Amino acid sequence: MLFYLMIAAGTVALALLVRTMPLQAGSEYGKAGISRQQACNGLCLLSIFVILFAVSACRLNVGNDYAKYVEFMHLIACDAYDYVPTEVGFNVLVTVLYELAGAENFLLVFAVFAFFTLWLFLKAMYEQSDSFGWSFFLFMAFGFYFSTFNTVRYYLALAMALYSIKYVLKKEWGKFVLLVLLGSAFHKSMLVVIPLYFLAALAWKKWQMALMALFCTTFFFLQDFYLKVVVFLYPSYEDTEYLEGGISWFNILRCLGVLVFALLYYKQAVEGSRRNRFYFYCNLGALVLYTCCSFLPIITRIGYYLNVTQILFIPAVLAKIEDKRQKRFWSIMIGLAAAGYFGLYLLRAGNDGIRVLPYQTFMFHDMVPILSDVN
């Protein structure tokens, strides 16, 4: 746990030195070269990436499904695709990397996933956030980074979804759909962001909100139908414990807190901003999913596509608060709440279903036997 605290504290300290400086047409950057701040940004971003990538790429048997992924990769290498539930993008990538390595090198596969996942997350935050320091702090405190040790396919898709928001806001729907289709080749759940992000981008009227609320009531009396849809999308879930849902209280409380904070400054920060309104509706949608669809086994994953926007939304609202005392007060309160959330996450990090503690590395530990080795 101390190791994770040191990683989080060190990278957040570096992130606070980063200042986003969008290049303006006709600016002196093209003439004078790189500025001191831009050089600082580049050095800090590179340092953050190297630290987080090294921790992720060097881990061994860290993550609830680490051994399961190693088993899947082994089956892919043996052409036993009938026993592999992973998508075509993952299967092709594993095949190519194993061919290049000349052997079954699962460490290389995890490293490649870590590289692109972190790169996309950092790129999205740097390009889209009002404050990279705040966004990165929330990214670490809400456990998104350490959660990438689990379900590596999903978190690559989540990073791609966060990055795709720039195309939604620019109404570049072609690029958005292409990126989503690419991401769905690694985790098909990413397809849900096409309707979800489209709905969140609309300027909803009161009567439309009422109709949507009426539709949401179907989740209470058509549960069997929606479960059949899930089984159709995920056949491997049938007759397993994965079909058991559950209320995610942490996510509900987090969405509620963010929405209440945003409502306090709605006219000032949200109403006139298409971007912030999109974030607001994403979090409102996540709250609806967590409360009305708790019976669905994949609701947490779907909800994360929506509430991952919190790392961009919170800094965006803070940036719009004009009163310095109020901004300082909310900065302190949000910082303490996020730090408390991170503390709770670390306390649960060794539990089944998470298992990112204890941290182990291939340099000092051996891989546990996988199912194929035992049989």
Side-chain angles (χ1 to χ4, degrees):
M1 186 182 295
L2 179 60
F3 176 65
Y4 285 175
L5 286 171
M6 292 172 58
I7 293 297
T11 52
V12 167
L14 288 169
L16 293 175
L17 299 176
V18 176
R19 297 288 183 273
T20 52
M21 301 174 63
L23 180 62
Q24 302 295 330
S27 68
E28 294 184 0
Y29 166 70
K31 300 176 183 178
I34 250 180
S35 71
R36 182 178 300 178
Q37 183 59 59
Q38 288 167 327
C40 177
N41 287 351
L43 180 61
C44 290
L45 287 169
L46 179 61
S47 300
I48 291 170
F49 178 83
V50 169
I51 292 170
L52 297 185
F53 173 72
V55 172
S56 184
C58 292
R59 77 187 194 279
L60 182 73
N61 201 32
V62 178
N64 191 57
D65 52 6
Y66 192 98
K68 186 181 295 184
Y69 265 103
V70 176
E71 170 73 10
F72 290 159
M73 295 177 205
H74 172 70
L75 293 174
I76 292 170
C78 297
D79 294 326
Y81 291 102
D82 291 340
Y83 304 97
V84 178
T86 49
E87 290 81 358
V88 62
F90 178 82
N91 299 345
V92 170
L93 181 62
V94 170
T95 301
V96 170
L97 291 178
Y98 275 17
E99 284 292 329
L100 292 175
E104 294 187 24
N105 191 335
F106 58 85
L107 291 172
L108 176 61
V109 177
F110 283 119
V112 169
F113 270 91
F115 181 94
F116 286 104
T117 301
L118 289 171
W119 176 67
L120 284 167
F121 269 125
L122 293 176
K123 186 174 176 63
M125 287 185 282
Y126 183 71
E127 293 182 356
Q128 300 178 48
S129 178
D130 288 310
S131 170
F132 178 82
W134 260 114
S135 289
F136 183 80
F137 167 68
L138 296 172
F139 171 71
M140 298 297 290
F142 288 165
F144 285 114
Y145 167 65
F146 294 108
S147 294
T148 63
F149 296 174
N150 281 305
T151 323
V152 293
R153 294 160 33 248
Y154 170 75
Y155 276 92
L156 174 61
L158 184 65
M160 296 174 76
L162 183 67
Y163 186 75
S164 74
I165 290 174
K166 64 182 290 186
Y167 299 125
V168 174
L169 297 176
K170 292 179 180 179
K171 297 184 179 181
E172 296 178 352
W173 297 107
K175 294 180 180 178
F176 166 67
V177 171
L178 285 175
L179 186 57
V180 171
L181 292 177
L182 176 61
S184 68
F186 293 92
H187 206 281
K188 55 190 170 187
S189 68
M190 190 177 174
L191 290 172
V192 302
V193 306
I194 294 179
L196 291 179
Y197 284 4
F198 175 76
L199 291 172
L202 298 176
W204 288 80
K205 297 178 180 178
K206 291 182 179 179
W207 67 269
Q208 293 172 323
M209 296 285 285
L211 284 178
M212 181 56 70
L214 184 63
F215 168 76
C216 289
T217 61
T218 64
F219 293 123
F220 295 106
F221 57 84
L222 291 178
Q223 293 186 5
D224 290 340
F225 168 75
Y226 289 116
L227 281 172
K228 288 179 180 177
V229 173
V230 171
V231 172
F232 174 77
L233 294 173
Y234 291 90
S236 59
Y237 281 7
E238 190 170 10
D239 298 326
T240 69
E241 70 277 7
Y242 292 114
L243 281 183
E244 298 177 6
I247 297 178
S248 180
W249 291 109
F250 279 107
N251 283 309
I252 289 175
L253 292 174
R254 209 170 79 196
C255 287
L256 273 174
V258 170
L259 288 170
V260 169
F261 171 58
L263 285 171
L264 292 174
Y265 297 96
Y266 189 84
K267 289 187 176 181
Q268 188 174 339
V270 179
E271 192 173 45
S273 170
R274 184 172 181 270
R275 179 191 62 165
N276 291 349
R277 191 173 63 241
F278 172 83
Y279 297 151
F280 181 86
Y281 285 138
C282 278
N283 282 275
L284 181 60
L287 180 61
V288 170
L289 290 176
Y290 288 132
T291 53
C292 299
C293 306
S294 58
F295 63 93
L296 293 176
I298 58 171
I299 199 59
T300 301
R301 292 180 180 179
I302 295 175
Y304 269 27
Y305 285 121
L306 296 172
N307 71 7
V308 70
T309 58
Q310 291 172 0
I311 66 178
L312 302 176
F313 188 31
I314 293 173
V317 175
L318 281 173
K320 292 292 185 178
I321 300 176
E322 297 176 356
D323 186 281
K324 292 183 178 180
R325 289 186 178 180
Q326 292 184 31
K327 179 180 287 190
R328 187 180 304 114
F329 169 79
W330 283 111
S331 297
I332 293 172
M333 294 302 293
I334 291 169
L336 290 174
Y341 186 95
F342 184 55
L344 290 173
Y345 175 83
L346 289 182
L347 289 175
R348 299 166 58 244
N351 295 352
D352 290 339
I354 305 177
R355 281 199 63 242
V356 296
L357 281 176
Y359 181 79
Q360 297 179 347
T361 172
F362 68 85
M363 292 179 281
F364 305 109
H365 301 87
D366 295 322
M367 179 61 194
V368 297
I370 59 176
L371 187 59
S372 295
D373 294 333
V374 174
N375 294 335

